[in-house]
Amino acid sequence: MATTYTEAIKIEKSESTKINTVDFNNLAFGQVFTDHMFVCDFEDGKWQTPKIVPYQPIVLDPSAKIFHYGQSIFEGMKAYKDADGSVFLFRPDENIKRMNISAKRLAMPEIPEAYFMNGLKELLKVEKDWIPTSEGSALYIRPFMLATGQGFHASPADAYKFVIAFAPSGPYFSGRVEVLIEEKYSRSANGGVGFAKAGGNYAGQFFPTQLAKDKGYQQVIWTDDNTHEYIEEAGAMNIFVRINDTLLTVPTSDRILDGITRKSIIDIAKADGIDVEVRKIKVTELTEAAENGSLKELFGAGTAAVVSPIAGFGYKGKNYELPVLEETFGARLKKRITDIQTNKSEDPFSWRVKVC
Ligand SMILES: *Cc1c(COP(=O)(O)O)cnc(C)c1O
């Protein structure tokens, strides 16, 4: 099946390449795009011929439903090239599964796994030279789907576009990150779309995040929408807490995105002999642990940064600083995971997928 499909991808090559204009030693995150993209349209109740075409604008009718009703979902993943030039993905089946969980929740058509995977692999073969190899760099992959169907009626569209675009990206330096624990706004609610990678979730985060930035914080720690007493996520990342030598993270739910980095960290930490607990965490547990010195680390986990350490947090007008440690669980787990991703170590979990 898979091969039949691969042969069916229509490839239209770009007449020129931008690759020589790119400074691969100074790549920002998601700002430079490769020469081609993968596109597949859903029309007349089915997915049409998948194509690889030159990277180009998407032209839509002003009544396209994406503009009015926000049917838009996406994924975030990375490809890595090792010293021998082999190309790898990290747990791509998890991204495909999650894309379709998001699609279902937003009443969008699910993408056959083979369409997603073969399209991605073929595009990677075309754009192989764009995969950066310097330490901490990778090819960021953005699969997304939007409602192209027309009409002002508030109902699901009858046409969609699935696209995969690539952005070579350098190491992610966040600098010193202080976060504000949110007491008023919510990222998501029970019965909502928080577990989906839906574009609107992020639009709703920008304003409260800007308010936190105005107060001198870089990011928001989201709390539960009902009581604001329990921590949920760190910006658009899952959250980890180290109290003494125990690593804690909160269970996923309707409101919390099931991050692939999160579950990989849990497995690696356990295999490394770290005591891991997955349970609800009260904000007061954090403030008390910060006060009695048992709070050692706080970090976000997601594909872009892998691990993003948090230096301190604000809550109810008070700031709490975390200790500066020589050796952190965060740095250790980040190295373990990136070594697997970039083929620098064994892959005991069989997470790495060789593309070419
Ligand atoms: C994408 C995302 C994450 C992290 O997921 P990964 O699969 O690890 O990249 C966590 N929280 C939110 C809200 C996200 O959108």
Coordinates of all heavy atoms in Angstrom, one line a residue, residues 185-190 192-195 201 205 222-226 232-233 253-257:
Y185 N -7.0 33.9 34.1 CA -7.3 33.4 32.7 C -7.0 31.9 32.7 O -6.2 31.4 33.5 CB -6.4 34.1 31.7 CG -6.8 35.6 31.6 CD1 -6.0 36.5 32.2 CD2 -7.9 36.0 30.8 CE1 -6.3 37.9 32.1 CE2 -8.2 37.3 30.8 CZ -7.5 38.3 31.4 OH -7.8 39.6 31.3
S186 N -7.6 31.2 31.7 CA -7.4 29.8 31.5 C -7.0 29.5 30.0 O -7.5 30.2 29.1 CB -8.7 29.0 31.8 OG -9.1 29.3 33.1
R187 N -6.2 28.5 29.8 CA -5.9 28.1 28.5 C -7.0 27.2 27.9 O -7.2 27.2 26.7 CB -4.5 27.3 28.5 CG -3.9 27.1 27.2 CD -2.7 26.1 27.3 NE -3.2 24.8 27.3 CZ -3.4 24.1 26.2 NH1 -3.2 24.6 25.0 NH2 -3.9 22.9 26.2
S188 N -7.6 26.5 28.8 CA -8.6 25.5 28.3 C -9.5 25.1 29.4 O -9.3 25.4 30.6 CB -7.8 24.2 27.8 OG -7.1 23.7 28.9
A189 N -10.6 24.4 29.1 CA -11.6 24.1 30.1 C -12.1 22.6 29.9 O -11.9 22.1 28.8 CB -12.8 25.0 30.0
N190 N -12.7 22.0 30.8 CA -13.3 20.7 30.7 C -14.2 20.7 29.5 O -15.1 21.6 29.4 CB -14.0 20.3 32.0 CG -13.0 19.8 33.0 OD1 -12.0 19.3 32.7 ND2 -13.4 20.1 34.3
G192 N -13.6 21.2 26.5 CA -13.1 22.1 25.5 C -12.1 21.4 24.5 O -12.2 20.2 24.3
V193 N -11.2 22.2 24.0 CA -10.3 21.7 23.0 C -8.8 21.8 23.4 O -7.9 21.7 22.6 CB -10.5 22.5 21.6 CG1 -11.8 22.2 21.1 CG2 -10.3 24.0 21.8
G194 N -8.6 21.9 24.7 CA -7.2 22.0 25.2 C -6.3 20.9 24.9 O -5.1 21.1 24.7
F195 N -6.9 19.7 24.7 CA -6.0 18.5 24.4 C -5.7 18.4 22.9 O -4.9 17.6 22.5 CB -6.8 17.2 24.8 CG -8.0 17.0 24.0 CD1 -8.0 16.3 22.8 CD2 -9.3 17.5 24.4 CE1 -9.1 16.1 22.0 CE2 -10.4 17.3 23.6 CZ -10.3 16.6 22.5
N201 N -6.4 27.8 20.4 CA -5.9 27.7 21.8 C -4.7 28.6 22.0 O -4.6 29.2 23.1 CB -5.3 26.2 22.0 CG -6.4 25.2 22.2 OD1 -7.5 25.5 22.5 ND2 -6.0 23.9 22.0
Q205 N -4.1 32.4 24.3 CA -3.0 32.5 25.3 C -2.3 33.8 25.1 O -1.6 34.3 26.1 CB -2.0 31.4 25.1 CG -2.5 30.0 25.5 CD -1.4 28.9 25.4 OE1 -1.7 27.9 24.9 NE2 -0.2 29.3 25.8
W222 N -0.2 27.9 33.4 CA -1.6 27.8 33.4 C -2.1 26.9 34.6 O -1.4 25.9 34.9 CB -2.1 27.2 32.1 CG -1.7 28.0 30.9 CD1 -0.7 27.7 30.0 CD2 -2.2 29.3 30.5 NE1 -0.6 28.7 29.1 CE2 -1.5 29.7 29.4 CE3 -3.2 30.1 31.1 CZ2 -1.7 30.9 28.8 CZ3 -3.5 31.3 30.4 CH2 -2.7 31.7 29.3
T223 N -3.2 27.3 35.1 CA -3.8 26.6 36.2 C -5.2 26.1 35.8 O -5.7 26.5 34.8 CB -3.9 27.4 37.5 OG1 -4.5 28.7 37.1 CG2 -2.5 27.8 38.1
D224 N -5.8 25.2 36.6 CA -7.1 24.6 36.2 C -8.1 25.8 36.1 O -8.1 26.7 36.9 CB -7.5 23.5 37.1 CG -7.9 24.1 38.5 OD1 -6.9 24.5 39.2 OD2 -9.1 24.2 38.8
D225 N -9.0 25.7 35.2 CA -10.0 26.7 34.9 C -11.0 26.9 36.0 O -11.6 27.9 36.2 CB -10.7 26.5 33.6 CG -11.5 25.2 33.6 OD1 -10.9 24.1 33.9 OD2 -12.8 25.3 33.4
N226 N -11.2 25.8 36.8 CA -12.2 25.8 37.8 C -11.8 26.5 39.1 O -12.4 27.5 39.6 CB -12.7 24.4 38.1 CG -13.9 24.3 39.0 OD1 -14.6 25.2 39.2 ND2 -14.0 23.2 39.7
E232 N -1.1 23.3 35.4 CA -1.4 22.5 34.3 C -0.4 22.4 33.2 O 0.1 21.4 32.9 CB -2.8 22.9 33.7 CG -3.9 22.8 34.8 CD -5.2 22.3 34.3 OE1 -5.6 22.8 33.2 OE2 -5.8 21.4 34.9
E233 N 0.0 23.6 32.7 CA 1.0 23.6 31.6 C 1.9 24.9 31.7 O 1.5 25.8 32.4 CB 0.4 23.6 30.2 CG -0.3 22.3 29.9 CD -0.3 21.9 28.4 OE1 0.8 21.8 27.9 OE2 -1.4 21.8 27.8
S253 N -5.3 15.4 30.4 CA -6.7 15.5 30.5 C -7.3 16.2 29.3 O -6.6 16.5 28.4 CB -7.1 16.3 31.8 OG -6.8 17.6 31.6
D254 N -8.6 16.5 29.4 CA -9.3 17.3 28.4 C -8.6 18.6 28.2 O -8.7 19.2 27.1 CB -10.7 17.7 29.0 CG -11.8 16.9 28.4 OD1 -11.5 15.9 27.8 OD2 -13.0 17.4 28.6
R255 N -7.9 19.1 29.3 CA -7.4 20.5 29.3 C -5.9 20.5 29.0 O -5.3 21.6 28.8 CB -7.6 21.1 30.6 CG -9.1 21.1 31.1 CD -9.2 21.9 32.4 NE -8.4 21.4 33.4 CZ -8.7 20.4 34.3 NH1 -9.9 19.8 34.2 NH2 -7.9 19.9 35.2
I256 N -5.3 19.3 29.1 CA -3.8 19.3 29.0 C -3.3 18.5 27.8 O -3.8 17.4 27.6 CB -3.2 18.8 30.3 CG1 -3.6 19.7 31.5 CG2 -1.7 18.6 30.2 CD1 -3.1 19.2 32.8
L257 N -2.5 19.1 27.0 CA -2.0 18.4 25.8 C -1.1 17.3 26.1 O -0.2 17.4 26.9 CB -1.3 19.4 24.8 CG -1.2 18.8 23.5 CD1 -1.9 19.6 22.4 CD2 0.3 18.7 23.1

